[in-house]
Amino acid sequence: MNLENFGRQVHEVRRNTQLLHHRVSESPEGQQDLLAEAFEELRTALEELHVAEEELRQQNEQLAIAFHQTATERKRYQELFDFAPDGYLVTDAQGKILEANYAAAHLLKISKNFLIGKPLVSFFPSEERRAFRYQLQRLFDMEGMQEWEISIQPRQGDIFDASLTVKTIRDNEGKPIGWRWLLRDITSRKQAEEKLNKIQIQNLKLQEVSLFKSQMLAVISHELRTPMNIILGFSQLLLRRYYHLLPPELREMVEKIVQSGKHLLKLIEDILDFCKLETSKLELNLQEVNFVELVTRIVEELKPLAERKNLTLILHSELKNPNIINDRDRLQQAVTNLITNAIKFTETGGVFVEIQQVKGDRLVLMVKDTGIGIPESEVAHIFTEFWQVDKSTTRKQGGVGLGLAIVDKLVRLMKGTITVESKLGEGSTFRVELPMSSEQ
Ligand code: ADP
C-alpha cells in the first residue's frame, strides 16, 4: 500500500457515497433499503480505509527506521571523512572548496571553517597554478581517478611535496559538477626516494670502481707472477747448483732473494685468488678427496713450523667416511691457511685440529689454538679483506690480511660455513662446516 493506492481508495469511497446520495434522492420510496445498502457499503469502505491506514502507519514506521539508519550511516561516513588520516576535499566544478576534513585543514595549515569557499588553487605556489588550471580543464573529459604530484603552499610554513588524487563528481546526466580530492603529504617518501637514488648511484659507482679494481689487480698480479716465478726459479737454482761455490755473504743474499720472492709470490697468488673470488671467476675443480688424508698431510707439513715455536700440533678425526666431493687444492689452501694462522698467532701451548661428522651429511673441521685470541670487537670483521687486529704482527710475521677473506669466500663457494669463537689471551677456535659433496 502506498500513498497513491490510499488516495485511490478515498476517491472510491467518496464516489460510492455520492452515488448512494444520488440514488436516495432519485427514489425516495426505496429509501429504507437504500440506506441499509449504503451503510453496508460505507462499512466496507471504512474497513478498507482502516486497513489502508494501518498499512500506511507501518510504512511510516519503516520509513522512520530507514531514515534513522541512513542518518547513522551518514554520521559514520562523515566521521570517517572528517577524521581520515589523509586530506579529503570536495570542490565544485570551478575548484571552490565545498567540504574539507581535519587532515586537509591540518595539511593546509588553516582552520577547517576558513577552508570552505576558498579556491583550491590558492594553495599552490603561483608558478604552478597555470598548470593546475589546465589540468582541471582536462579532468572534465577523464574517467576514473587521476593522480599527480604537486607542491603545496600552506597558509603558514614551507612548501611541501604532495600527491593529489582526484575523481570527478557527475550529476544524473553525467555532467561534471565537482571533484573529490585526496591530498597526501609525500615529503618523507620523496626524501626517501632521493636518498635511495643517491645510494643507488653511489652503489653503481662503487660497483664500477670495485670491478675496475679487481680487473686491474688481476692484470697486475698476472703480469707480476710470471717474472716473479722466473726470479724465484733462478735464485733457487743458483742456491742448489752453486751453494758450495758461493761465498757465505753472497749465499745469504741469494737466500734472502728466495725468501722474499716466496713471500711476494704468495701475496700475488692471494691477490689473484681474491680477485677471482670477488668477480665470481673462480670455479671449483670437483673430485673425490680423502679429507682425513689431506688434513693429515697438511698437519705433517706444518709440524716443523709449530716445532720451531715449541708448539704442539695434534690432529684428531672421527670421520667415518673420509671421502668427500670437493676441490683438493682449494681445500688444502683453506685448511693450510687456518692452521698457519693458528701457529702464527700462538706463542705457548699448541694447536688442535679436529674433524667431526655432523648430522645431515656434513663434516666439521675445527682449528683450536691457545694463542693471543681476538678482541670481541674485532671478531665481526675478521673475514674482511685486509683487516688485521694488529698491523705490527704483519711486519713481524708477514701477511696482509687476505688469508681469512679468501678462506671465507672459498668455504662459501663450497656451500659451507665458517665461524670463529675467541677469547682474548686464551685462544681462538675456527669452525668450518662443509657438505660431504659440494656439487650442485
Ligand atoms: P694475515 O694472517 O695475513 O694477517 P688473515 O686474513 O689470515 O691475514 O688474518 C687476518 C687477521 O685475523 C690477522 O691479522 C689476525 O689479526 C687475525 N687472526 C687470524 N687468525 C687468528 C688466530 N688464530 N688467532 C688470533 N688472531 C687471528
Side-chain angles (χ1 to χ4, degrees):
M1 168 71 63
N2 53 29
L3 260 182
E4 207 179 308
N5 278 348
F6 187 67
R8 206 177 298 134
Q9 293 233 6
V10 172
H11 180 74
E12 192 74 3
V13 171
R14 195 178 289 145
R15 202 173 65 87
N16 283 349
T17 318
Q18 275 173 355
L19 244 137
L20 270 172
H21 179 72
H22 200 64
R23 277 160 68 188
V24 167
S25 54
E26 269 183 359
S27 52
E29 56 282 4
Q31 273 185 8
Q32 280 302 104
D33 292 349
L34 275 172
L35 262 177
E37 198 184 322
F39 273 127
E40 202 42 48
E41 288 224 12
L42 259 178
R43 190 180 296 134
T44 315
L46 276 173
E47 272 169 10
E48 276 178 23
L49 271 180
H50 192 70
V51 169
E53 186 200 357
E54 184 56 25
E55 276 186 26
L56 262 183
R57 201 183 52 75
Q58 281 172 0
Q59 276 181 1
N60 227 10
E61 264 172 27
Q62 278 168 2
L63 262 180
I65 292 169
F67 182 76
H68 180 71
Q69 278 173 347
T70 314
T72 317
E73 280 290 279
R74 194 184 146 72
K75 193 162 165 265
R76 202 165 73 87
Y77 281 114
Q78 186 66 41
E79 277 172 8
L80 278 178
F81 176 82
D82 275 344
F83 300 109
D86 291 313
Y88 282 108
L89 296 150
V90 178
T91 64
D92 65 10
Q94 280 70 47
K96 192 171 80 181
I97 298 171
L98 303 176
E99 279 181 69
N101 69 350
Y102 288 108
H106 179 73
L107 282 173
L108 300 172
K109 303 264 183 316
I110 183 170
S111 111
K112 205 176 127 183
N113 294 342
F114 287 130
L115 198 53
I116 310 299
K118 297 227 164 22
L120 182 58
V121 76
S122 67
F123 293 96
F124 300 149
S126 40
E127 62 277 11
E128 294 202 20
R129 291 184 188 174
R130 226 173 117 187
F132 178 71
R133 284 199 196 93
Y134 172 71
Q135 278 288 74
L136 271 193
Q137 283 308 312
R138 282 173 18 109
L139 273 181
F140 276 128
D141 312 320
M142 291 187 187
E143 285 303 325
M145 301 251 249
Q146 304 298 319
E147 192 180 340
W148 73 87
E149 285 178 10
I150 195 156
S151 304
I152 291 283
Q153 170 69 76
R155 269 290 169 276
Q156 295 144 29
D158 296 332
I159 293 179
F160 64 88
D161 290 317
S163 87
L164 265 184
T165 311
V166 60
K167 179 149 182 26
T168 312
I169 312 170
R170 298 181 188 275
D171 63 11
N172 290 342
E173 275 89 54
K175 209 172 104 216
I177 50 169
W179 286 293
R180 289 185 212 290
W181 303 87
L182 167 70
L183 176 66
R184 192 172 279 171
D185 182 350
I186 54 165
T187 314
S188 33
R189 192 185 90 192
K190 280 263 163 188
Q191 282 169 351
E193 275 172 9
E194 249 168 59
K195 254 191 209 158
L196 196 73
N197 246 348
K198 269 191 201 155
I199 291 172
Q200 275 170 345
I201 291 172
Q202 266 174 358
N203 247 354
L204 274 178
K205 278 188 189 158
L206 278 178
Q207 273 174 18
E208 269 173 35
V209 170
S210 162
L211 195 73
F212 178 70
K213 183 193 78 181
S214 300
Q215 285 171 341
M216 204 176 75
L217 280 177
V219 171
I220 294 174
S221 304
H222 191 77
E223 292 303 311
L224 283 177
R225 199 161 54 155
T226 319
M228 203 54 234
N229 265 324
I230 297 172
I231 295 172
L232 202 58
F234 277 115
S235 341
Q236 280 170 329
L237 197 71
L238 207 62
L239 270 188
R240 229 180 298 134
R241 279 212 194 146
Y242 307 103
Y243 190 82
H244 297 295
L245 295 178
L246 290 172
E249 207 183 335
L250 263 184
R251 209 185 292 159
E252 215 173 286
M253 282 182 189
V254 182
E255 271 168 354
K256 283 230 167 86
I257 295 176
V258 172
Q259 204 185 343
S260 301
K262 278 186 179 165
H263 215 95
L264 210 55
L265 196 62
K266 165 88 174 69
L267 182 63
I268 294 167
E269 300 283 357
D270 275 358
I271 293 175
L272 253 182
D273 278 348
F274 183 76
C275 293
K276 275 195 222 154
L277 280 162
E278 237 199 354
T279 46
S280 312
K281 282 192 184 132
L282 197 138
E283 277 180 22
L284 293 177
N285 174 21
L286 293 178
Q287 54 197 288
E288 196 174 87
V289 184
N290 185 322
F291 189 64
V292 179
E293 230 174 74
L294 181 85
V295 180
T296 308
R297 198 168 43 76
I298 297 170
V299 165
E300 286 310 313
E301 276 170 18
L302 290 176
K303 259 203 176 129
L305 197 68
E307 278 161 9
R308 235 176 281 155
K309 291 179 83 179
N310 277 331
L311 302 173
T312 53
L313 175 57
I314 300 164
L315 167 68
H316 174 75
S317 169
E318 285 173 6
L319 211 58
K320 283 183 212 111
N321 174 14
N323 290 326
I324 64 170
I325 306 291
N326 210 314
D327 182 322
R328 180 188 302 276
D329 293 341
R330 295 301 172 185
L331 271 178
Q332 170 159 347
Q333 184 181 4
V335 177
T336 307
N337 207 302
L338 290 177
I339 304 178
T340 314
N341 268 356
I343 297 171
K344 188 157 91 174
F345 296 103
T346 304
E347 292 313 317
T348 52
V351 177
F352 182 58
V353 183
E354 196 178 357
I355 305 169
Q356 300 166 353
Q357 182 90 46
V358 282
K359 265 187 266 158
D361 244 10
R362 288 170 89 81
L363 67 87
V364 164
L365 170 90
M366 306 254 244
V367 181
K368 299 182 194 177
D369 66 57
T370 53
I372 57 170
I374 303 160
E376 217 182 307
S377 57
E378 302 279 329
V379 171
H381 309 290
I382 212 74
F383 297 106
T384 312
E385 58 271 20
F386 304 113
W387 193 281
Q388 292 177 309
V389 176
D390 179 4
K391 299 255 185 241
S392 63
T393 341
T394 316
R395 264 170 259 134
K396 272 189 272 154
Q397 325 221 24
V400 288
L402 270 180
L404 281 184
I406 292 174
V407 175
D408 177 50
K409 285 193 191 316
L410 276 178
V411 169
R412 278 181 215 217
L413 195 64
M414 295 168 177
K415 301 189 187 67
T417 53
I418 179 164
T419 50
V420 58
E421 269 179 30
S422 187
K423 242 191 175 150
L424 201 59
E426 288 183 20
S428 315
T429 302
F430 285 80
R431 181 183 188 278
V432 177
E433 194 174 317
L434 288 173
M436 294 300 279
S437 168
S438 289
E439 279 173 321
Q440 279 297 341

